[in-house]
């Protein structure tokens, strides 16, 4: 009986939150902005979390625990260390022959290979669309949301597929030198899987990003 009362109280609480949100949005002068983080893509695309993604690309290099310990658990530094070792593997391993041929002109430094392969991985998942999601009803409902724009740290292309008519801005520099209207726009502040060089991935990337934080 007590369990049933707790369940009823939880439902009543959620209904109260829902009613307050509906009332708040109805009184607002514009549609809301969303901030979307990595949990969104983990739920709907079953993507790795950041640690698991880096672990995936450490296979065949040093143990992932080595990178974790060497960086004192700082994942941007883990990414920097893996990128350094992955660079040599990418240029010599037959597994990446095709990717090298397609992407070698994009290589700018020793972090480029890891960026390229992370993007290839994410884009292969995006290519499957929403057909494999465990939550098709939620995805359908999300696609009908009325929002003015979305700010996201996610690299994958889920939001672009969800809102195909929205204009996409990638990175802080593109925002600085463009003229966003704050309507029907997606701001990918940590980069996009369509542009490997744009990813905020390594410790250096985060230092640069945080240096522009006031904007």
């Amino acid at each position: 009986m007590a369990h049933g009362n707790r369940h009823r109280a939880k439902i009543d609480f959620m209904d109260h939150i829902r009613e307050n949100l509906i009332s708040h949005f109805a009184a607002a002068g514009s549609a809301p902005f969303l901030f979307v983080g990595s949990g969104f893509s983990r739920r709907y695309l079953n993507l790795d979390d950041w640690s698991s993604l880096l672990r995936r690309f450490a296979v065949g290099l040093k143990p992932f625990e080595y990178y974790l310990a060497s960086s004192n658990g700082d994942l941007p530094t883990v990414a920097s260390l893996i990128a350094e070792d992955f660079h040599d593997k990418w240029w010599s391993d037959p597994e990446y022959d095709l990717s090298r041929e397609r992407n070698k002109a994009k290589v700018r430094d020793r972090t480029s290979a890891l960026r390229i392969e992370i993007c290839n991985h994410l884009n292969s998942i995006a290519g499957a669309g929403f057909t494999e999601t465990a939550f098709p009803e939620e995805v359908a409902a999300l696609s009908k949301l009325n929002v003015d724009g979305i700010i996201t740290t996610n690299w994958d292309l889920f939001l672009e597929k969800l809102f195909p008519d929205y204009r996409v801005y990638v990175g802080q520099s593109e925002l600085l030198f463009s003229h966003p209207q704050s309507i029907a726009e997606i701001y990918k502040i940590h980069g996009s899987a369509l542009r490997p060089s744009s990813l905020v991935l390594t410790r250096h990337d985060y230092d640069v990003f945080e240096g522009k934080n006031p904007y």
Side-chain angles (χ1 to χ4, degrees), residues 7-43:
H7 183 65
R8 180 69 255 173
K10 183 177 180 180
I11 292 175
D12 289 343
F13 178 68
M14 294 304 295
D15 286 343
H16 176 69
I17 291 177
R18 186 179 300 108
E19 290 169 6
N20 281 347
L21 283 172
I22 291 172
S23 175
H24 174 75
F25 290 142
S30 61
F33 255 73
L34 300 182
F35 180 86
V36 175
S38 61
F40 206 76
S41 297
R42 289 203 300 274
R43 179 173 180 81

Side-chain angles (χ1 to χ4, degrees), residues 164-201:
D165 296 328
Y166 281 39
R167 182 172 180 179
V168 179
Y169 292 91
V170 177
Q172 290 172 303
S173 295
E174 191 163 299
L175 277 172
L176 281 167
F177 298 106
S178 300
H179 301 284
Q181 304 300 311
S182 299
I183 299 175
E185 294 171 338
I186 298 172
Y187 306 114
K188 299 180 76 87
I189 60 174
H190 276 192
S192 169
L194 293 179
R195 304 183 195 175
S197 63
S198 72
L199 302 190
V200 177
L201 170 66

Side-chain angles (χ1 to χ4, degrees), residues 1-138:
M1 189 69 176
H3 176 73
N5 289 338
R6 286 197 299 270
H7 183 65
R8 180 69 255 173
K10 183 177 180 180
I11 292 175
D12 289 343
F13 178 68
M14 294 304 295
D15 286 343
H16 176 69
I17 291 177
R18 186 179 300 108
E19 290 169 6
N20 281 347
L21 283 172
I22 291 172
S23 175
H24 174 75
F25 290 142
S30 61
F33 255 73
L34 300 182
F35 180 86
V36 175
S38 61
F40 206 76
S41 297
R42 289 203 300 274
R43 179 173 180 81
Y44 296 116
L45 296 182
N46 197 32
L47 289 183
D48 297 323
D49 61 20
W50 194 19
S51 177
S52 298
L53 181 67
L54 293 175
R55 184 184 292 271
R56 178 187 295 275
F57 287 96
V59 172
L61 304 175
K62 300 181 181 74
F64 182 73
E65 291 73 17
Y66 165 84
Y67 295 111
L68 205 58
S70 298
S71 63
N72 295 317
D74 180 65
L75 289 178
T77 305
V78 170
S80 298
L81 296 175
I82 291 175
E84 182 72 20
D85 291 346
F86 188 81
H87 170 83
D88 294 325
K89 179 181 179 181
W90 191 79
W91 281 103
S92 60
D93 194 326
E95 177 184 355
Y96 298 108
D97 282 350
L98 184 58
S99 182
R100 274 199 310 275
E101 191 59 33
R102 289 176 175 173
N103 297 294
K104 60 187 178 183
K106 301 176 185 176
V107 175
R108 296 292 179 266
D109 56 37
R110 293 183 69 89
T111 71
S112 296
L114 181 59
R115 297 174 192 277
I116 288 166
E117 294 310 324
I118 285 176
C119 290
N120 285 344
H121 172 67
L122 295 177
N123 291 336
S124 69
I125 294 172
F130 304 140
T131 57
E132 297 178 9
T133 181
F135 308 98
E137 297 85 2
E138 292 182 21

